[in-house]
Amino acid sequence: MNQRQAKQRSQIGTVTRVRESVVDAVFPNGIPAVHNALRTGENREVVIEVLDHLDEQTIRGIALTSTQGLARGSAIEDTGQPLRVPVGERLLGRVFNVFGETIDGQGPIEGGEWRSIHQKPIPLVRRVTRTEVFRTGIKAIDLLSPLERGGKAGLFGGAGVGKTVLIMEMIHNMIGQHEGISLFCGIGERIREAVDMYDEVREAGVLNNTVLVYGQMNEPPGARFRVGHAALTMAEYFRDDRRQDVLLLIDNIFRFIQSGSEVSGLLGRLPSRLGYQPTLGSELAELEERISNTEAGAITSIQAVYVPADDFTDPSAVHTFHHLSASIVLSRQRASQGFYPAIDPLKSESKMLVPHIIGRRHFEVAQEVRRTLATYEDLKDIISMLGLEELSRQDRRTVERARRLERFLTQPFVVTEQFTGIKGHLVDADDTLDGCERILNDEFSEIPENDLYMIGTIDQARTKGRGGSEDENRHTNVESEVVGQNAQADEDKPRSEDGS
């Protein structure tokens, strides 16, 4: 027997136990390493990742595909390497699964460079220690909850509040402003959601600078658990090799934790508090710590976060918040009033909103905007019961400023031009600060508040009041009427004792 035949023989084992997605196998001539990919089944279609060594010959792995038809005694082959995915510019505009296989019906990607999905985080000595703000061009975010370049932001929002549109606009701005790459990772996505996302990215014209990776909801927990690592491997290539900034969008990080809990339960590990896996913290950190910035580039991540039963003390939420540098909360109430993006300015926050990072001017303007909007929120109960006329002159002035600020913080998006008829605007942070300062100084007190609705910079309010294009004015009149009706209905509706 030559050396090659001996090596091939050492890679073949036998399945000894199959329990749902958990597979045990014996390799008498050499045990595979942890994280190695194994293949079995009639056509080697069943993929298993080694997670544990039970003894010197027996492994326990988790199947990343269906184990239907797999039986004891089946031959199982060690591939000798971990799961790998392709990297390179050839990925742009394509859709992949956890194995690096294309699922967009446009042919496979073969050859070229493939890398392991298990990569170590960048060591501290290679990370950039200075803190930089990541500008999105979206007024409400850049003003009140600025993002960190190379950091993580949580996006909180249910269905129908504009989460997908906000993600699409960030992808567009990333390409136009930073000349970077956008990578969308869907963990536990429904097929309908995946198709809708692909169609919207394509229709928005940003598909050629975007990579989409999906671990769908109908797939085994092992596939959903590893798809985030696969997406990060692709993102790290563009950061480290192409020296480009990457915007990584993850939907939903809770499903990553949930799939890890399923894997832990299948492996027979004792659960921790509230049924979560005992390794929750380390598994989440293994994923999150790979998101960082270097001298070459940065991976900036925006992650949709689901909070079970709105309980922010839930272990999944607590561990996730430790990694976030900003929280963006989308409000259904603001969406119903026509304020888009429907970002709640009082609930959204950022660790970057401190004077020594964003500057004294930005900090003071943001604090005054937040204070004005908070005062208006407190006065809404009085207005609904007694009317605006019963307020003091100072309070009425505060209400007028707040209503103008609310409308100024709305913004037409490039990706919604075909639906709204309004040209989208990418707004510089200095222009946003300038506009808010001038509103707070009552410079626009004589201009109708609806002239501040759905504009870019503050100077467009005067142009809008004098005329503007016929299509824009027609759409603006309709939108202004909707906003006015919704705002008035919100003020007139009866309130409960707790103010809700």
Side-chain angles (χ1 to χ4, degrees), residues 231-248:
L232 267 170
T233 298
M234 298 176 181
E236 287 166 344
Y237 168 85
F238 290 105
R239 179 193 63 189
D240 300 332
D241 292 53
R242 303 299 302 175
R243 305 181 71 85
Q244 292 178 295
D245 284 348
V246 181
L247 179 62
L248 175 63

Side-chain angles (χ1 to χ4, degrees), residues 79-136:
T79 63
Q81 58 192 6
L83 287 172
R84 299 189 306 159
V85 292
V87 296
E89 294 189 359
R90 55 191 176 146
L91 274 59
L92 297 175
R94 304 302 301 273
V95 186
F96 298 89
N97 61 14
V98 68
F99 306 111
E101 301 167 344
T102 57
I103 54 175
D104 53 8
Q106 299 181 20
I109 286 185
E110 298 176 349
E113 184 180 1
W114 290 60
R115 292 183 181 177
S116 166
I117 67 171
H118 298 285
Q119 302 288 341
K120 293 183 178 180
I122 295 294
L124 288 176
V125 294
R126 288 185 51 200
R127 299 195 183 194
V128 176
T129 56
R130 63 181 180 272
T131 304
E132 299 180 47
V133 176
F134 178 83
R135 302 298 185 186
T136 64

Side-chain angles (χ1 to χ4, degrees), residues 21 24 158 160 199 242 409:
S21 295
D24 293 353
D199 290 340
R242 303 299 302 175
L409 291 178

Side-chain angles (χ1 to χ4, degrees), residues 26-50:
V26 171
F27 287 83
N29 298 313
I31 193 169
V34 172
H35 294 323
N36 269 17
L38 315 178
R39 286 188 172 270
T40 184
E42 292 185 3
N43 300 311
R44 301 176 74 249
E45 73 279 3
V46 180
V47 182
I48 298 166
E49 183 181 40
V50 179

Side-chain angles (χ1 to χ4, degrees), residues 419-483:
F419 307 110
T420 64
I422 300 180
K423 178 178 173 59
H425 293 283
L426 181 76
V427 183
D428 187 80
D430 290 334
D431 293 331
T432 301
L433 293 176
D434 180 62
C436 292
E437 276 185 330
R438 294 166 71 180
I439 292 174
L440 291 169
N441 292 331
D442 295 330
E443 184 176 332
F444 290 85
S445 59
E446 302 302 322
I447 291 181
E449 60 186 32
N450 286 332
D451 285 349
L452 296 167
Y453 178 74
M454 282 296 173
I455 60 174
T457 61
I458 193 69
D459 291 328
Q460 293 177 8
R462 300 189 186 279
T463 305
K464 195 174 184 180
R466 289 196 299 265
S469 67
E470 182 179 349
D471 291 339
E472 184 173 326
N473 283 334
R474 186 187 309 116
H475 182 83
T476 300
N477 291 335
V478 173
E479 292 288 354
S480 299
E481 183 178 353
V482 171
V483 172

Side-chain angles (χ1 to χ4, degrees), residues 121-122 127 152 284-292 323:
I122 295 294
R127 299 195 183 194
K152 279 83 72 174
L284 185 62
E286 184 182 355
L287 181 75
E288 297 281 7
E289 289 304 304
R290 292 173 63 181
I291 303 172
S292 62
H323 297 279

